[in-house]
Amino acid sequence: MRYSTQVERVVFRSGGDLLVGDLHRPVGADPGAAVVVAGSWTTVKEQMAGGYARGLAARGLAALAFDFRGFGESGGEPRDLESPERKVEDLREAVGALVASTGSDAVGLLGVCAGAGYTAVAAAEDERVRSLALVAPWLHDEGLVEAVYGADGVRARIRAGEEAAREHGRTGRTAYVPVVSETGEAAAMHGRCDYYVDADRGAVPEWPNRFAVMAWPGWLRFDPISWASRIPVPVLVVHSDDAAIPEGVRKFRAGLSGPSEVRWLSGTQYDFYDREPVFTEALNAVADHFRDVPSRIL
């Protein structure tokens, strides 16, 4: 069944800063599970997080997509700083905002791409979270980071990030590079990243295509795979061997101690963000997963 949907603006605080979100509600659906959605790194709620939130609402689930601190409409400095620690804290506050707005006691977390790592840690730490789903997850540890960037590349990025942090401490200036660029090798993602350069897809006006260089050390040293054994709730992973680092999914799944399922589809990383039929296949899978949360609680 498909529902018509409505959107409410939700504001809440995290770390003293005001955060802004869109709560997508199904019209006429019975109360049930509610979901907080986190998109890929550097993104805003108008990108893939909003797409999944709208799709979940059309399938009967209230879903919140929001801007993390320093991104989009939300407050916080420095701007566009990809801080795993800060984003995990923001997710905890988003769960509280969702509970307050919906009254649901069956909250799920959905992480897309890099958002998967943040939601995994939040699910391990927050007892209010009853279910976790990860779509096209980017999950890394030290070994996988080196496989992606190369040992020299990791060291160079960490050095650049540490220098940018020192500069910020001295002057307050934040050094940036593009998130994506086909020509600039300093970009966080170099090459043809079709989702992010297409105005009909991810190149939305709210997204500045900007990466704070001082984020590199915290991002590269972040290890969500090591949190897998601490996640007590049911986990669904939807991924593809043609998407980002599938080996990370296999390592993460091996560490899980609770009920889990990995559903392997066909498609590239960016197909999972908004391309058919992969987007709808992933959306249907996670909607079914979250709809089961109230029955599992009872």
Side-chain angles (χ1 to χ4, degrees):
M1 180 176 180
R2 294 292 182 268
Y3 295 86
S4 60
T5 64
Q6 59 187 24
V7 183
E8 298 175 14
R9 183 180 175 91
V10 173
V11 295
F12 56 99
R13 289 196 176 274
S14 182
D17 295 310
L18 194 67
L19 273 58
V20 178
D22 290 333
L23 175 57
H24 298 258
R25 290 183 183 268
V27 177
D30 293 332
V35 182
V36 175
V37 185
S40 186
W41 72 340
T42 82
T43 59
V44 294
K45 63 184 180 300
E46 289 80 12
Q47 293 170 300
M48 71 286 290
Y52 273 91
R54 283 191 298 274
L56 289 172
R59 289 158 176 78
L61 300 161
L64 174 65
F66 71 98
D67 288 325
F68 288 93
R69 263 180 289 174
F71 291 88
E73 290 187 85
S74 291
E77 296 288 342
R79 304 300 297 174
D80 303 298
L81 175 68
E82 194 63 30
S83 166
E85 181 180 4
R86 198 161 76 164
K87 285 196 166 184
V88 170
E89 183 178 351
D90 291 350
L91 282 166
R92 289 196 293 268
E93 299 302 331
V95 168
L98 185 61
V99 170
S101 296
T102 64
S104 177
D105 62 355
V107 174
L109 293 179
L110 168 59
V112 182
C113 191
Y118 310 142
T119 55
V121 176
E125 293 185 330
D126 194 334
E127 63 183 11
R128 297 170 298 177
V129 175
R130 304 300 180 91
S131 191
L132 174 67
L134 311 177
V135 170
W138 178 290
L139 298 164
H140 68 227
D141 57 15
E142 182 179 5
L144 289 171
V145 161
E146 287 203 1
V148 170
Y149 296 105
D152 291 341
V154 171
R155 285 192 290 268
R157 286 169 173 81
I158 288 176
R159 284 196 302 269
E162 290 172 342
E163 175 54 36
R166 287 191 292 269
E167 175 70 12
H168 184 267
R170 289 192 302 265
T171 68
R173 174 183 172 272
T174 303
Y176 294 101
V177 295
V179 177
V180 300
S181 174
E182 293 185 69
T183 58
E185 294 186 6
M189 295 189 291
H190 178 237
R192 177 71 183 178
C193 301
D194 54 356
Y195 174 83
Y196 292 100
V197 300
D198 188 339
D200 293 326
R201 301 181 69 193
V204 299
E206 297 85 355
W207 181 69
N209 189 16
R210 192 169 68 165
F211 181 86
V213 177
M214 64 180 173
W216 277 125
W219 162 254
L220 293 170
R221 291 168 175 150
F222 180 52
D223 181 1
I225 291 174
S226 67
W227 286 81
S229 63
R230 287 173 271 185
I231 298 172
V233 300
V235 178
L236 170 69
V237 182
V238 183
H239 205 47
S240 164
D241 275 319
D242 295 319
I245 49 175
E247 182 58 26
V249 170
R250 296 183 175 93
K251 295 177 83 169
F252 182 80
R253 173 63 176 306
L256 291 169
S257 57
S260 64
E261 176 187 359
V262 177
R263 194 166 302 184
W264 295 98
L265 304 180
S266 298
T268 67
Q269 184 71 14
Y270 299 141
D271 289 340
F272 283 93
Y273 296 174
D274 64 349
R275 286 292 198 209
E276 299 298 349
V278 180
F279 174 73
T280 292
E281 291 173 352
L283 189 51
N284 287 339
V286 298
D288 289 344
H289 177 72
F290 289 127
R291 271 195 293 265
D292 285 343
V293 175
S295 62
R296 286 196 294 260
I297 294 171
L298 295 174

